[in-house]
Amino acid sequence: MKCRHCGSALHLPFLDLGSAPPSNAYLTEQGLRAPELWFPLRLLVCQSCWLVQTEDHAGREALFTDDYAYFSSFSSSWLVHAKAYVQATQSRFGLGAQSRVVEVAANDGYLLQYVRAAGIPCYGVEPTASTASAARGKGIDIVERFFGVALADELARAGRQADLMVANNVLAHVPDINDFVAGFTRLLKPHGVATFEFPHLLRMVQQNQFDTVYHEHYSYLSLVALESVFAHNGLRIFDVEELPTHGGSLRVFAQRADTGRQPLALAVAKLSQVEVDAGMRTAAFYRGLKVRAERVKDDLLAFLIESKRQGLGVAAYGAAAKGNTLLNFAGVRPDMLPYVVDRNPAKQGKFMPGSRIPIVDEAYLQAQRPDRILILPWNLREEVMLQLAYARKWGGRFVVAVPQLECL
């Protein structure tokens, strides 16, 4: 296999989680009677540009389908994050009624609703019909297509260039990262700005966040790798922020390399040095995660087996993609974890891919009163514990498995 950015041959392994079905391929009752497609789940590192990437097995059309079930607005903390971003960028870049904001991977309109409320013209690009429909329900104009150079050129010719482009948690999801990034260069106005948010590979390794690996994530990103990708495709990074979201993310600010006029912030050099000091330009940095992942797997299985022996009821909360990675890697099935609770109606009544654990609503949790609640989206554990605080009244306790098993 060759690097999807620079074309170099890939020889350095990073992580092997065996095989799994796509993490957002939730099953219906009818789907339970059919076989599932499982793909190898392995990551490799390019030692030329240091882009970490999955082996190629599944195309984007097979992963991001019309009934895609991830809706951003079901996380209240993420909505707060989005609203604060809109306020900050509006002030920093002087956005107003004469500006245009474009969000790529607009999902259900979680962010553009605040742009629209601020009186700033905007539209979103979103390829999945389910979330695009939800965004339109909020009054947001959506282009229902996959983004890349071809679409960017089409939109630019139609006079729809952007003062600000937003790409939150999508850069890792694109198989052709060069085509995707080059599209931003084409659609930005000469002095426009683009921001990209994504989980930071440094935090993933340091905090054992192996469950963020799934087929929908084609790339695992660092500043060192992104500088190469952006430079190759006509963008220049001028600022970067570290964020607490998704277990530790970066927000990268970029502009067109040929016409951008934003000054270079010291934060870029500082973070670049942090990555160098951590060893992210050396092969040694990318070894050892598999051993730590296996420790989490063993501890989770031991916890579930011991709970069953003691007659303790265990439920899981959050039918998240990272939860599917964890459960399938550990081989957990309904005999050890009988159900998963989720607030999203699009997931309720379906079954987790691979493990085939049923997904239920919160009322079911309240009726069953489990002794232990395993929070699968550990990055939202404070939000979830607050939401389910009533469980402590019947003696329920919360548990997370990543980065290590903890009873909270």
Side-chain angles (χ1 to χ4, degrees):
M1 179 178 164
K2 294 188 180 300
C3 175
R4 60 172 45 95
H5 163 51
C6 72
S8 299
L10 301 178
H11 301 295
L12 179 61
F14 177 41
L15 185 63
D16 186 343
L17 296 180
S19 63
S23 282
N24 282 300
Y26 298 93
L27 300 168
T28 62
E29 287 272 6
Q30 183 178 2
L32 292 178
R33 297 191 289 274
E36 287 181 81
L37 281 174
W38 288 56
F39 302 96
L41 191 50
R42 291 192 289 266
L43 301 186
L44 301 167
V45 186
C46 177
Q47 290 176 269
S48 296
C49 68
W50 299 107
L51 181 66
V52 175
Q53 51 209 281
T54 57
E55 286 186 335
D56 289 325
H57 291 289
R60 64 184 184 183
E61 288 79 8
L63 302 177
F64 302 104
T65 57
D66 287 347
D67 59 352
Y68 188 67
Y70 181 79
F71 290 74
S72 297
S73 294
F74 282 101
S75 170
S76 57
S77 61
W78 185 245
L79 291 178
V80 171
H81 175 77
K83 186 175 183 179
Y85 167 86
V86 172
Q87 292 171 342
T89 51
Q90 181 182 8
S91 174
R92 179 174 180 177
F93 301 115
L95 302 173
Q98 305 305 311
S99 309
R100 181 182 289 119
V101 174
V102 178
E103 184 179 17
V104 178
N107 199 263
D108 60 3
Y110 74 98
L111 183 141
L112 289 181
Q113 63 184 334
Y114 301 117
V115 176
R116 187 171 180 268
I120 304 170
C122 63
Y123 67 91
V125 178
E126 174 53 56
T128 62
S130 54
T131 55
S133 176
R136 291 190 185 104
K138 296 180 172 76
I140 297 164
D141 179 18
I142 294 291
V143 178
E144 197 171 315
R145 302 258 299 275
F146 283 103
F147 185 77
V149 166
L151 179 57
D153 283 345
E154 184 181 319
L155 293 169
R157 285 194 300 269
R160 307 189 75 184
Q161 287 183 295
D163 297 277
L164 173 67
M165 294 186 70
V166 187
N168 287 346
N169 298 308
V170 62
L171 191 55
H173 290 73
V174 294
D176 190 342
I177 196 168
N178 289 325
D179 179 68
F180 184 81
V181 171
F184 284 75
T185 307
R186 307 290 188 94
L187 194 54
L188 278 176
K189 292 180 181 179
H191 304 305
V193 168
T195 70
F196 301 80
E197 289 185 26
F198 51 86
H200 192 189
L201 177 63
L202 177 62
R203 303 305 170 206
M204 172 188 169
V205 173
Q206 289 178 335
Q207 299 174 23
N208 196 25
Q209 298 169 1
F210 70 92
D211 58 340
T212 59
V213 173
Y214 38 94
H215 299 102
E216 292 91 330
H217 283 171
Y218 290 90
S219 303
Y220 300 80
L221 300 162
S222 59
L223 187 62
V224 60
L226 210 55
E227 284 179 321
S228 175
V229 173
F230 280 18
H232 178 78
N233 292 290
L235 290 182
R236 184 171 64 247
I237 296 171
F238 66 86
D239 200 1
V240 62
E241 296 174 356
E242 294 187 85
L243 307 171
T245 52
H246 296 284
S249 296
L250 296 184
R251 176 186 290 154
V252 168
F253 296 77
Q255 59 190 333
R256 284 172 49 170
D258 57 345
T259 56
R261 59 187 180 189
Q262 297 290 334
L264 179 63
L266 288 175
V268 179
K270 287 182 178 179
L271 185 60
S272 180
Q273 190 61 49
V274 167
E275 291 191 347
V276 169
D277 292 344
M280 297 189 77
R281 295 176 186 263
T282 68
F285 176 83
Y286 301 93
R287 300 190 180 108
L289 186 58
K290 176 69 180 293
V291 173
R292 300 196 298 276
E294 289 177 343
R295 189 177 303 125
V296 168
K297 176 185 72 172
D298 294 346
D299 289 346
L300 174 61
L301 288 173
F303 161 74
L304 292 172
I305 292 169
E306 185 58 28
S307 295
K308 188 174 182 179
R309 284 175 176 162
Q310 293 182 17
L312 298 174
V314 181
Y317 186 92
K322 57 171 54 75
N324 287 320
T325 294
L326 174 64
L327 297 179
N328 285 318
F329 178 56
V332 176
R333 298 294 181 263
D335 60 321
M336 286 193 286
L337 190 64
Y339 59 93
V340 177
V341 180
D342 201 277
R343 296 179 71 183
N344 185 349
K347 295 181 181 180
Q348 293 165 6
K350 294 184 178 179
F351 299 80
M352 303 282 270
S355 67
R356 302 193 166 201
I357 297 171
I359 303 169
V360 300
D361 61 16
E362 198 172 320
Y364 190 86
L365 178 85
Q366 294 168 343
Q368 294 296 312
R369 297 190 166 199
D371 301 289
R372 302 289 182 265
I373 300 172
L374 174 66
I375 301 173
L376 296 175
W378 44 261
N379 54 303
L380 299 176
R381 68 189 213 174
E382 300 302 328
E383 177 182 333
V384 172
M385 287 193 293
L386 182 62
Q387 178 190 331
L388 304 182
Y390 55 78
R392 297 195 186 275
K393 294 180 181 179
W394 68 65
R397 296 188 64 185
F398 298 99
V399 179
V400 293
V402 178
Q404 66 215 8
L405 192 76
E406 286 184 85
C407 265
L408 307 170

